[in-house]
Amino acid sequence: MFSLPALSIQSARTAVRLCGLVCVVALGLAVSLHAQTVTVTNVFNNGYNYNAFPGDCSSGYNIPSSNIATGNHLEREHVIYNATTDQWVMWAHYDNSNYTLAEAMVLTSTNECGPYTAVLEFQPDGEQIRDDYVFEDTDGSAYFIAASNKDGGANDTMAIFKLTSDYTNVDPSVPVTWVFEGDYREAPVVVKNNGTYFLLTSQAAGWYPSQGGYATSTSMLSGWSALQNLGNSSTFGGQESDVLTIKGTQATSYVMTLDHLSGHNDSGSMWLPLTLDGSTQTATLNWYSSWSIDKTTGLLTLPDTPNLASAGTASADSSLSTNPPQLAADGNYASEWVSAATGCGGNSCFPALWTVDLGSPKPVQEIDISWYMVKGSEGYYTYNIDYSNDGSTWTTIDHIGNKLYGFTFDPVSFTARYVRIDLESAVLQNNPNNNWYTPQLWEVAVLGTPASTSPGGGYLPVTVTATPSSATITTKQSLTEAVVVSGGSGNPTPTGTVTLTGGGYTSPATALIGGSVTFNVAAGALDVALDILTATYVPDTTSSPIYGTSFVSATASIRVNTPVKTITLINSGNSNGNNLLPPGTSGSIPYTITVTPSGGFSGQVNLTCNVSYQGTLGVGPSPGRPLTCGLGSGTTASVTIAAYTPATATLTVSLPTTTSQAIRPSKGLVIGGGGLALAGLLLFGIPVRRRGFRALLVIVIVATALGVITGCGNSATMRTAPGLYYVTVSGADAATGSITGSTTLNIVVE
């Protein structure tokens, strides 16, 4: 913990130095300090510097050259203070020019800025050390984290060592903890929030930017989660170097410092606000070209610039059906537009065009592009930004000379309805004369002018999460989408409204309750396609002073298909409750059949019935009359399904004359005295191909008596032939006759 007037910053490196109205950081970051507010403006300046990130020590750390052998150097110096020994302890990666030394150097000083004296130069436990970090926990313990080589390759696995109580060596009683085995990660940074440790890393990609990631655990030495993406596919062109924890009177905020990678060296520095939530174990990193933080309150002020592209309609000169143009304007760094071009090589698939229609002319002040890259074959893009009000006459902003990898942000000043990205070429670092990339874009943000301003205010970042009930539905199925809006651990619960749009659907603005809201999207409300649903949060007057007035959104992809048509038939059950007819009964037993459609089925269903007599088991047919069946007035009937509403038919089983015998279903159903019970199951299904779809007609009948059948004496005369009867019902779709099936009730007359 470092304490300065009105500023409290916890970091493994140092605190921000309050050096007047404007500090120009050696690595190219412009930091403007005025009154209680620190304003950060991210700019890319050339010039790489091995020294520590400037802070209290405006000239960097004083490390006498006598500590470092000729031709060697230090990288990623990190300093923590040991209160027990009253010493500042520095850990750094110590290497030679060809990176074969791969050691750690430990230095100490009684002053934060030095001079520092080397006390140890080694490979802990004999393991290689490259990118490193030193972290002091809240209980006073400390850890050294470094990219190492557990399985033989440089940077193949991350190592975590617990340090001795004086922080100058690794604790020999605690084995090394290996993390991300075989994943080739580097640039570790550790920060803690609400009991959760966050380990931030990048891919080992040399001097090229790569996808950042983070893992979480409740213990430094075990239980680390799988990696999750952090930021966009290139971490906005940077690689994390530290995280500053700013504890204010109203909020605790986190600031990530990053080295900007140019493909050859560090070409600048960036600061970006980092949102951590230890309770949900999530981290969020977004790009802001300029932002501010209040030194006393800890409140962030983020630019109130709406992303006009996310509300616009995107198009391209060609697209894969699975990667439509809108995916490059959905606010999701993990979804992308991909051109349908094939056989790419030698720049043959370029140029390519991607366009967004903003709906009407709107003022635009910045365009941020997340570019597609392949690790190991990283490329930068030459491109143009075009804009127009009619879609025919275009004005071009030339960026053919671009050489930034992974991410570009372009301050602009124009008003237009259409904004177009003209991808002219990609220049691959390992094959500059053979561009084999397929044109594609991860994300394009078209930032408008601020909707409002809040002078002197500080805004906290807000996170919107949208979770649909299913990723795939049919047009006959409804959908629910749960939206959660969070201001982070320890901060007020956001209030305001959320609107869900996309796929031809727009919800009313719905108020948050306890930071969440659930949308119920009716069946048929979404287009048959891969629909992108966007949940947009708008703070109300209570939350806008805390979270600003910018709209914050999250997206989810829903695949909507045309359904398979089916029909299900069931019976209404036994209404008289009798399971056995008394001796000497005669009459008929009715069953109500309910035909229920699904999958959009409508039309007429024809039903028929017939009876087959098998006689007594082991004996054969016996004298007497058989049972009969009927549907309506004969042995056939039709029902019509209209407006997806169920229809009914009556199936009747008749006893032609008196009998002294009881009737019971086969299948072992117990027959009691005083009544008759018939039960059956109709289940038939024959899949039939129709218009490219598979239709299925399923009829299920569980039949029981609906009316009381009275007896008329106790006759000993056998009028109904005893034995086994099969009562079969058949059905067919009247429109085609191709959706058919049958079912049989087994009835035993004793």
Side-chain angles (χ1 to χ4, degrees), residues 45-60:
N45 290 341
N46 293 326
Y48 177 71
N49 192 325
Y50 279 120
N51 289 335
F53 197 91
D56 270 359
C57 309
S58 58
S59 299

Side-chain angles (χ1 to χ4, degrees), residues 165-476:
S165 59
D166 63 0
Y167 302 166
T168 62
N169 205 335
V170 298
D171 187 338
S173 67
V174 180
V176 60
T177 295
W178 295 104
V179 188
F180 316 138
E181 293 192 34
D183 284 342
Y184 290 88
R185 308 294 296 185
E186 62 182 12
V189 172
V190 174
V191 63
K192 189 177 184 180
N193 172 269
N194 196 25
T196 295
Y197 301 94
F198 291 80
L199 175 52
L200 318 175
T201 62
S202 72
Q203 295 176 341
W207 297 108
Y208 299 96
S210 65
Q211 173 70 67
Y214 71 94
T216 59
S217 178
T218 55
S219 169
M220 278 295 296
L221 298 176
S222 63
W224 287 98
S225 70
L227 282 165
Q228 301 181 68
N229 287 347
L230 182 67
N232 74 346
S233 59
S234 66
T235 321
F236 308 107
Q239 184 182 62
E240 63 278 357
S241 58
D242 209 343
V243 171
L244 309 177
T245 301
I246 302 173
K247 296 184 176 180
T249 58
Q250 297 185 37
T252 296
S253 296
Y254 302 90
V255 178
M256 176 181 282
T257 67
L258 305 99
D259 298 323
H260 184 257
L261 301 181
S262 68
H264 304 287
N265 53 27
D266 285 359
S267 61
S269 185
M270 304 180 295
W271 286 7
L272 290 173
L274 175 68
T275 302
L276 300 176
D277 191 335
S279 59
T280 60
Q281 298 190 332
T282 55
T284 304
L285 184 72
N286 287 312
W287 171 259
Y288 301 99
S289 57
S290 182
W291 55 276
S292 300
I293 186 166
D294 189 288
K295 300 178 301 188
T296 301
T297 64
L299 293 175
L300 291 167
T301 301
L302 301 179
D304 192 14
T305 49
N307 182 4
L308 306 175
S310 64
T313 302
S315 60
D317 48 9
S318 72
S319 302
L320 293 179
S321 60
T322 54
N323 297 84
Q326 201 67 38
L327 293 183
D330 61 358
N332 182 358
Y333 296 130
S335 63
E336 62 180 329
W337 159 72
V338 180
S339 167
T342 59
C344 300
N347 207 50
S348 62
C349 294
F350 288 75
L353 300 175
W354 180 93
T355 306
V356 61
D357 178 359
L358 305 180
S360 63
K362 292 180 172 63
V364 178
Q365 70 175 32
E366 182 177 321
I367 296 178
D368 304 333
I369 305 176
S370 297
W371 299 97
Y372 169 80
M373 287 196 311
V374 175
K375 184 176 181 291
S377 295
E378 293 85 356
Y380 62 80
Y381 289 78
T382 61
Y383 66 100
N384 293 317
I385 297 173
D386 305 324
Y387 59 92
S388 171
N389 280 323
D390 58 10
S392 298
T393 303
W394 297 87
T395 301
T396 296
I397 302 175
D398 188 338
H399 287 288
I400 297 299
N402 172 63
K403 291 188 178 180
L404 295 177
Y405 288 84
F407 178 74
T408 56
F409 76 99
D410 295 298
V412 297
S413 180
F414 61 77
T415 297
R417 173 175 176 173
Y418 301 93
V419 176
R420 185 172 69 187
I421 308 302
D422 177 2
L423 294 79
E424 287 292 318
S425 177
V427 181
L428 311 189
Q429 54 94 356
N430 61 343
N431 200 351
N433 297 319
N434 182 19
N435 170 27
W436 49 263
Y437 278 11
T438 299
Q440 49 198 298
L441 292 169
W442 284 111
E443 192 68 20
V444 178
V446 178
L447 303 184
T449 55
S452 63
T453 59
S454 180
Y459 296 158
L460 289 173
V462 67
T463 301
V464 179
T465 304
T467 306
S469 58
S470 177
T472 303
I473 62 171
T474 72
T475 55
K476 302 305 175 184

